[in-house]
Amino acid sequence: MKKKDTQYADKLQTETIQELISAAIRARKNSYSPYSHYQVGAALLTADGQIIMGCNIENAAYGPSNCAERTAFFKALSEGNREFLAIAVVGSPEGEVLTQYAYPCGVCRQVMMEFCNPEMFQIIVAQSTEDYRVLTLGQLLPEGFGPENLSPQRND
């Protein structure tokens, strides 16, 4: 599939999408994945235009491992960012060119739900800067549980 797959793709310029994908590809090179040998890179776009990169970081105990998407989010949050527009994610087995779309896992989708508007936040999965899909968080996590679920209901 080439370029945009959804109506939400128009919200980001093609140039911005391609810049995010390129950053995710660069981030993938830093992957520490000696166990799965599956390298993932992510590039998170903040509301003020910063691009925060992350890669997957594995651990022999597995549980302490961290996905590329969460690495990017945690880096951004630790630097004071709280508003996000999009994330690009790339991944494939070690030593291979990008041969598949790497969708965020359920834990990463839940982290995104904590900080992003599910109808507006865009997730770009790519095999190259020309071959990508754009979806919203709401499309990947329908009926997600977020902070608003914990807000008291008001009967005005």
Side-chain angles (χ1 to χ4, degrees):
M1 221 167 267
K2 189 171 181 178
K3 296 214 176 167
K4 38 190 157 175
D5 270 4
T6 74
Q7 61 186 346
Y8 299 101
D10 291 330
K11 294 183 181 180
L12 286 179
Q13 298 293 323
T14 300
E15 183 178 291
T16 302
I17 292 171
Q18 291 175 333
E19 184 180 2
L20 285 171
I21 294 167
S22 293
I25 291 169
R26 288 192 310 274
R28 180 176 175 256
K29 293 176 184 173
N30 294 326
S31 169
Y32 178 74
S33 48
Y35 307 105
S36 72
H37 303 285
Y38 191 85
Q39 298 176 315
V40 183
L44 177 62
L45 179 63
T46 66
D48 65 359
Q50 293 181 66
I51 296 176
I52 310 293
M53 298 188 314
C55 64
N56 59 322
I57 303 166
E58 296 180 349
N59 187 284
Y62 296 111
S65 297
N66 204 46
C67 296
E69 300 91 312
R70 282 183 282 143
T71 299
F73 264 93
F74 296 160
K75 281 175 62 178
L77 291 160
S78 72
E79 295 171 9
N81 294 292
R82 296 291 186 272
E83 295 181 28
F84 308 101
L85 302 177
I87 192 167
V89 183
V90 299
S92 279
E94 180 179 4
E96 290 186 18
V97 295
L98 298 173
T99 57
Q100 56 193 256
Y101 297 112
Y103 289 89
C105 74
V107 174
C108 288
R109 294 176 196 194
Q110 186 61 46
V111 167
M112 292 175 197
M113 189 72 180
E114 183 72 19
F115 299 101
C116 304
N117 177 328
E119 299 312 313
M120 300 301 292
F121 185 73
Q122 296 178 64
I123 299 169
I124 303 150
V125 292
Q127 293 184 43
S128 73
T129 57
E130 297 298 322
D131 184 358
Y132 59 86
R133 297 176 179 170
V134 181
L135 301 109
T136 64
L137 176 57
Q139 289 172 305
L140 289 181
L141 188 63
E143 304 301 324
F145 186 87
E148 69 282 349
N149 294 101
L150 299 175
S151 298
Q153 297 294 321
R154 293 194 174 137
N155 295 324
D156 293 334

